[in-house]
């Protein structure tokens, strides 16, 4: 009798152990390491832990993510991919084509992502019809940030044209104020460049140049005018700009050392983390011209095996697109929710401007993928353009030479 009871109990114990729900685990590679970014990433880490997950953080410093993507390639090539990666735009497709991404369609369908995501965002998250990434936000790239007191003290309004920007910059320079806070890193040069390009080429010209890679547009007189403006802007940065991290440039505007910064609205995350108030301490305005350059952060899950990691990926994907996270994270990050059903009543005036402009540009056909932040092109093409842009900014290259090098670089990258 005793033996049979023991064997029955041990059998139940073995069955219960085998069907125990796997503890969600995730090693997460990302590059959110600045003040505002880290505060935002902590929101996700807390939600993951509050839902029983164990988060192993793999932050790789370096704005724009180039260093993070290098680290990712090394990990995947060594057969040890992270569980989840901050990955966006066409890079998602590139990794999908390598056959290393996990399918998260079960989460997307259970959570009804298709009903709450704009089609332009959902398209970036799908690979041959399956869901292969989870969208976090919508950052706008084409912003000018300004120190409100510095502008008022110098009788300057936020510029609505590049001529107005140049006139304001010259007035500030004469008053001993650094007009443009900038970090001399290729991705930051590209960020400024694409804001200038959107304004001078216009939305259709931008699309022809940086989505279609149209040769005539890349070598047009208007593209030469973009490089002319970049040459002018080079004269508005301080001598210590080379290598400066983007958030240190933001700090220069915060402390009044500089007047403007042209940067995506992750810069707003820095102002907010420092307790600065939009409309009082700092101002936001789109860079001169029509259109909206979007940059959607997302997480892709890598096919790493293990029930615990699969559970971690499913939990992470669910949380990332969840309504609460979409509000709390984006309030900190400076972006706006990817979901269309999140109330913006707690968001600030800059976020409302972004949401309004995004809606208007979507309806007007001027909602465009950022080339500088990996939304418009695959890595080889985007990198080829950025190499020319940063080479021009850091030399005395003529605009005529720049457009020829631009075309050649793009053609050689195909
Ligand atoms: C962008 C990224 C943002 C922010 C920024 C600075 O590419 O999408 O979330 O991290 O770089 O690092």
């Amino acid at each position: 009798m005793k033996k049979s009871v023991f064997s029955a109990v041990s059998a139940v114990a073995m069955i219960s152990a085998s069907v125990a729900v796997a503890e969600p685990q995730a090693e997460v590679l990302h590059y959110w390491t600045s003040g505002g970014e880290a505060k935002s990433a902590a929101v996700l880490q807390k939600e993951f832990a509050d839902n029983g997950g164990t988060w192993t953080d793999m932050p790789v410093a370096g704005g724009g993510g180039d260093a993070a993507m290098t680290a990712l390639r090394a990990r995947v090539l060594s057969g040890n991919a992270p569980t989840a990666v901050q990955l966006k735009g066409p890079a998602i497709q590139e990794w999908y084509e390598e056959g290393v991404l996990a399918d998260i369609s079960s989460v997307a369908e259970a959570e009804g992502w298709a009903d709450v995501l704009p089609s332009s965002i959902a398209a970036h998250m799908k690979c041959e019809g399956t869901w292969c990434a989870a969208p976090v936000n919508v950052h706008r790239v084409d912003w000018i940030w300004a120190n409100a007191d510095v502008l008022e003290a110098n009788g300057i309004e936020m510029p609505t044209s590049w001529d107005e920007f140049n006139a304001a910059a010259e007035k500030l320079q004469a008053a001993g104020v650094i007009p443009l806070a900038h970090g001399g890193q290729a991705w930051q040069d590209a960020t400024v460049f694409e804001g200038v390009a959107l304004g001078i080429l216009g939305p259709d010209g931008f699309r022809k140049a940086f989505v279609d890679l149209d040769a005539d547009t890349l070598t047009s007189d208007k593209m030469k005018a973009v490089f002319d403006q970049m040459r002018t802007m080079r004269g508005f940065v301080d001598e210590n700009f080379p290598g400066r991290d983007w958030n240190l440039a933001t700090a220069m505007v915060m402390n009044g050392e500089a007047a403007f910064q042209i940067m995506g609205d992750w810069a707003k995350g820095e102002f907010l983390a420092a307790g600065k108030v939009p409309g009082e301490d700092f101002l936001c305005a789109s860079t001169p011209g029509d259109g909206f350059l979007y940059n959607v952060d997302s997480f892709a899950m890598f096919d790493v095996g293990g029930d615990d990691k699969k559970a971690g990926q499913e939990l992470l994907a669910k949380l990332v697109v969840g309504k609460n996270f979409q509000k709390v994270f984006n309030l900190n990050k400076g972006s706006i929710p990817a979901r269309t059903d999140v109330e913006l009543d707690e968001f600030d005036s800059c976020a409302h401007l972004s949401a309004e402009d995004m809606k208007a540009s979507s309806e007007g056909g001027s909602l465009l993928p950022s080339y500088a932040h990996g939304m418009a092109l695959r890595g080889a093409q985007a990198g080829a353009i950025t190499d020319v842009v940063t080479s021009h900014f850091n030399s005395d290259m003529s605009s005529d030479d720049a457009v020829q090098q631009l075309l050649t670089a793009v053609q050689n990258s195909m």
Side-chain angles (χ1 to χ4, degrees), residues 31-34 37 62-66 86 88 137 139 141 187 246 263-264 266-267 295-298 329 333 335 372-375:
Y31 49 97
W32 290 329
T33 58
S34 74
E37 291 173 328
D66 291 345
Q86 180 189 349
K88 56 186 177 176
N137 58 11
H139 272 302
V141 180
W187 72 272
W246 67 272
M263 185 50 70
W266 45 93
N295 168 37
V296 175
D297 283 313
S298 47
F329 175 88
K333 190 68 170 61
S335 35
H373 290 273
M375 300 303 297

Side-chain angles (χ1 to χ4, degrees), residues 373-395:
H373 290 273
M375 300 303 297
L377 298 167
R378 291 188 169 211
Q381 284 71 48
I385 295 168
T386 296
D387 287 348
V388 176
V389 167
T390 197
S391 174
H392 169 269
F393 196 72
N394 293 288
S395 71

Side-chain angles (χ1 to χ4, degrees), residues 11 51 102 122 181 226 248:
N51 284 270
V226 174
L248 300 183

